[in-house]
Amino acid sequence: MAMAKKVDPNQAEIVEALRKAGAHVYDTHELGRGFPDLAVSFMAQWHLVEVKMPGGALTVPQLHFIVDAKAPIVILETSEQAVRWLNSLR
């Protein structure tokens, strides 16, 4: 039996903030194997986003995914941080 993938308690708030700021957000947390929690489309570009509680640590599979991806993975902890990140992309 597969284990249910954990969703950080702040994920819904971050998703709502990203959507209100104009991003299209797709929940990918159930893919597992370290794949980031969200795929975010904004201003014709895709971004992978890992949601963490403030001060939360990445898991070993997440660290391996980031290293293997050889591409930026955005790590967000708060809705305010999420909006600042999107504004930096404008």
Side-chain angles (χ1 to χ4, degrees), residues 14 17-19 21 23-25 38-43 45-50 72-90:
I14 288 172
L18 291 169
R19 288 179 174 155
H24 293 278
V25 183
L38 306 172
V40 178
S41 174
F42 186 70
M43 298 192 66
Q45 291 189 341
W46 282 101
H47 306 273
L48 295 178
V49 174
E50 179 61 36
I73 307 294
V74 178
I75 300 171
L76 298 175
E77 297 178 341
T78 68
S79 57
E80 294 82 9
Q81 186 182 41
V83 172
R84 282 195 309 271
W85 168 64
L86 283 185
N87 286 334
S88 77
L89 299 176
R90 293 185 194 274

Side-chain angles (χ1 to χ4, degrees), residues 51-64:
V51 174
K52 286 291 174 196
M53 289 299 294
L58 294 167
T59 65
V60 171
Q62 290 167 340
L63 289 169
H64 285 294

